[in-house]
Amino acid sequence: MLTFSDQEYKWCPECNGNIRKDAYYCKFCHKPIGSKLLKTKQADGVAQLITKAARWLPDFNSVLRAIPTPLRDRIDEADRNTPAPYIGLPPGVDPEECRNAERNCDLCAPHPPSSAEFGIIVDILIGLHANGQPIAALCADRRLQLIELTTGEVVAEFELRVAEIQGGQKCRHCAEFRAVDEPVCRYCGGTEDSPPNPIDYRIQLLAEFEHYDPTLLRNVLLWEAAKRRIENEPPVEEETLQAHNIGEADIDRQILTLRQNPNRLPRSRWRERMFQLGIEPGYYESTAFPIMGYTCDFDYFQLTDIDSLGRAMTPDFSCKAHDNAGAALFVFDHLLSRWQNNPHFSRNKHSILSGKSMVYLHLKDDENHKRFEKEAKEAQLESVPEEFRAAMEFALDTTDDSMDFKALLEMDPELRLQSIERLGEQSAKKQSQLAERMDTLIPGLTDAFAGMLELTSVSMQITKLLLQGQIALKKADSVTACRQFESALALGDNSIQDVSRRCNVLLELANAQFVG
């Protein structure tokens, strides 16, 4: 029981999480992996998931030897099926040795594990306990304390799962055994009548770069309110403070804290907990491009947490859940005015300025949009080592040529097609040249770019076919329109990221067939 064998479990083809073999919905990403669209897709990132999960477990190789054999065999198979990453490694360095070293390093991952990563960590600990292995020493590690996985929590989860299995009641969505008297599945959140609520995959994909943290936003606002009173600066608007439940007593306490420690800057709850445990976060050196001369320490992540918050509130074309132009500008201005003494400020200044530029683009303030876009480019060039500067300047010029936001907003299919064809040809050529330049600095980048360009090329072809079909339909040529839409469908794949576009094409095809 709870050996997680391939007779009962499989890897989710979307998030690579460890799920029941007969699941229709993944309990982690909530994707309908049992649907006709996705059931034939194979998981292809399990080894990377295991590497990320291993960063939370001390001496992972010893842990791996002690877990139930069926689970260990599945992990070994995933490693055999996925070559270790090699981009950025100097010549002569074995990628497999680097992957093994990363899995066994003591450096704490800087951000919380994803739900799929957390799931496999819990499964490994449960597997150890089920195998009769002691886990108290493991759970005493500060990394597991940070994510609140104590010995008691693991044992309680093991006993609960055993009781659920003995009860014999399975969730109809994620296929996990569940308590008979619980109407909502504790694994996926589904009920008898309703499947799990969908999760925006972009939130997981961009978690390190765009993360909305309401507690951190409140901390920034509170810090600013206190600092402005100390410095006799214009106050934070009362309406804003009330909206985040910040009162006079909160501000008085923050003023006292700042008077005792003037250098103290706002932190997220996660970063504060990390500080209290004495944990120094960081990226494993082989994945952080040490050739750039960059370091990533507590100060770096404290700054980028707030930059990430600002970006999560920056309105863009994807209609994010927490769009708030005013709050985003407040956060970016806070960073630009209060964080100059942070040792990593100059390195990240371009990201902050770029965020401000995007906010002004949304506000249709073209003057400020162009101003901060220009300042961001200058700051980015200043932030990189001299030997990288020429390649970076070429990369920024390439981006400028391809990022035509007005073309993205163009509604007329003929005009949009013209813009895309013009930009696509220029962009592909320059990106290929950029890869060749960067490959001399970061080994293996040309191969990676080749794969990316191939995906971009297919995506561009689908977009062109869709627009060509719309143009034909506009000219009342439904036969040609149907042919173009069908060709676009044939080029698409079964990834969940392609579902939205695939649905759009299907709707266009149905409309063309109806008109015809």
Side-chain angles (χ1 to χ4, degrees), residues 279-439:
I279 294 174
E280 185 67 37
Y283 294 116
Y284 181 66
E285 64 177 12
S286 70
T287 62
F289 298 117
I291 191 172
M292 293 285 282
Y294 292 153
T295 58
C296 300
D297 54 18
F298 190 89
D299 287 330
Y300 169 78
F301 292 112
Q302 190 177 352
L303 184 151
T304 55
D305 284 345
I306 300 181
D307 186 22
S308 173
L309 170 66
R311 289 192 165 274
M313 297 186 296
T314 299
D316 61 17
F317 306 110
S318 62
C319 300
K320 290 180 289 194
H322 302 287
D323 282 1
N324 190 327
L329 280 179
F330 187 99
V331 166
F332 290 135
D333 286 337
H334 164 78
L335 285 169
L336 290 169
S337 62
R338 309 294 192 184
W339 288 74
Q340 298 95 328
N341 292 330
N342 182 285
H344 305 282
F345 177 78
S346 60
R347 168 180 161 194
N348 289 277
K349 185 179 178 181
H350 74 275
S351 176
I352 304 165
L353 291 167
S354 174
K356 284 197 71 170
S357 171
M358 290 300 297
V359 175
Y360 283 117
L361 174 68
H362 170 78
L363 296 174
K364 296 182 171 56
D365 185 339
D366 196 51
E367 180 181 352
N368 275 317
H369 164 59
K370 289 181 178 178
R371 171 194 164 191
F372 288 107
E373 185 179 50
K374 180 175 181 291
E375 289 183 13
K377 180 178 178 179
E378 292 170 351
Q380 189 163 12
L381 287 174
E382 292 173 1
S383 69
V384 299
E386 185 67 36
E387 62 269 27
F388 281 82
R389 203 157 289 173
M392 179 62 73
E393 188 168 15
F394 185 84
L396 293 173
D397 290 340
T398 301
T399 303
D400 287 344
D401 290 341
S402 61
M403 293 299 284
D404 186 343
F405 292 107
K406 291 182 179 178
L408 292 174
L409 294 171
E410 183 58 64
M411 298 303 294
D412 184 275
E414 292 184 74
L415 294 176
R416 194 173 183 192
L417 180 62
Q418 290 172 11
S419 298
I420 286 175
E421 287 179 335
R422 183 183 71 254
L423 294 172
E425 186 175 335
Q426 295 172 354
S427 177
K429 182 178 180 181
K430 286 198 171 185
Q431 286 178 4
S432 179
Q433 293 172 344
L434 172 63
E436 292 176 3
R437 292 188 180 202
M438 292 296 291
D439 194 66

Side-chain angles (χ1 to χ4, degrees), residues 37 53 79 92 103 120 135 188 206 210 228 232 235 265 278 312 316 320 325 347 359 365 378 382 396 408 432 442:
L37 186 68
D79 284 347
R103 289 180 177 182
I120 192 62
I135 60 171
C188 71
L206 301 174
E210 293 183 3
R228 292 183 186 191
N232 293 318
L265 288 163
D316 61 17
K320 290 180 289 194
R347 168 180 161 194
V359 175
D365 185 339
E378 292 170 351
E382 292 173 1
L396 293 173
L408 292 174
S432 179
I442 304 175

Side-chain angles (χ1 to χ4, degrees), residues 11-12 16 43-51 74-75 78-79 82 103:
W11 306 111
C12 171
N16 302 297
D44 58 6
V46 178
Q48 292 93 321
L49 179 83
I50 298 299
T51 298
R74 290 176 60 216
I75 292 174
D79 284 347
T82 310
R103 289 180 177 182

Side-chain angles (χ1 to χ4, degrees), residues 7-9 19-24 161 163-188 190-193:
Q7 301 298 311
E8 297 178 296
Y9 285 83
I19 60 175
R20 289 278 180 179
K21 198 162 189 176
D22 51 345
Y24 189 90
R161 291 194 191 186
E164 288 171 336
I165 292 171
Q166 291 172 344
Q169 179 75 33
K170 268 198 169 188
C171 173
R172 61 181 297 188
H173 307 298
C174 70
E176 286 287 353
F177 289 93
R178 50 184 285 190
V180 177
D181 57 347
E182 290 294 336
V184 179
C185 175
R186 72 184 184 95
Y187 295 96
C188 71
T191 66
E192 281 298 311
D193 301 322

Side-chain angles (χ1 to χ4, degrees), residues 450-460 493 501:
M452 292 167 57
L453 289 174
E454 184 178 349
L455 291 173
T456 303
S457 175
V458 172
S459 180
M460 186 70 73
D493 60 28
R501 179 171 58 188

Side-chain angles (χ1 to χ4, degrees), residues 207-256:
E208 292 187 19
F209 311 102
E210 293 183 3
H211 177 61
Y212 179 74
D213 182 343
T215 303
L216 178 57
L217 176 58
R218 184 182 185 278
N219 290 347
V220 171
L221 291 167
L222 177 58
W223 189 97
E224 273 292 335
K227 184 69 173 178
R228 292 183 186 191
R229 284 199 187 175
I230 293 173
E231 302 294 338
N232 293 318
E233 297 174 356
V236 178
E237 293 182 4
E238 188 64 30
E239 184 180 348
T240 301
L241 296 176
Q242 290 177 359
H244 292 85
N245 197 29
I246 298 174
E248 287 299 315
D250 299 310
I251 297 173
D252 288 341
R253 282 193 295 270
Q254 185 65 41
I255 289 174
L256 181 61

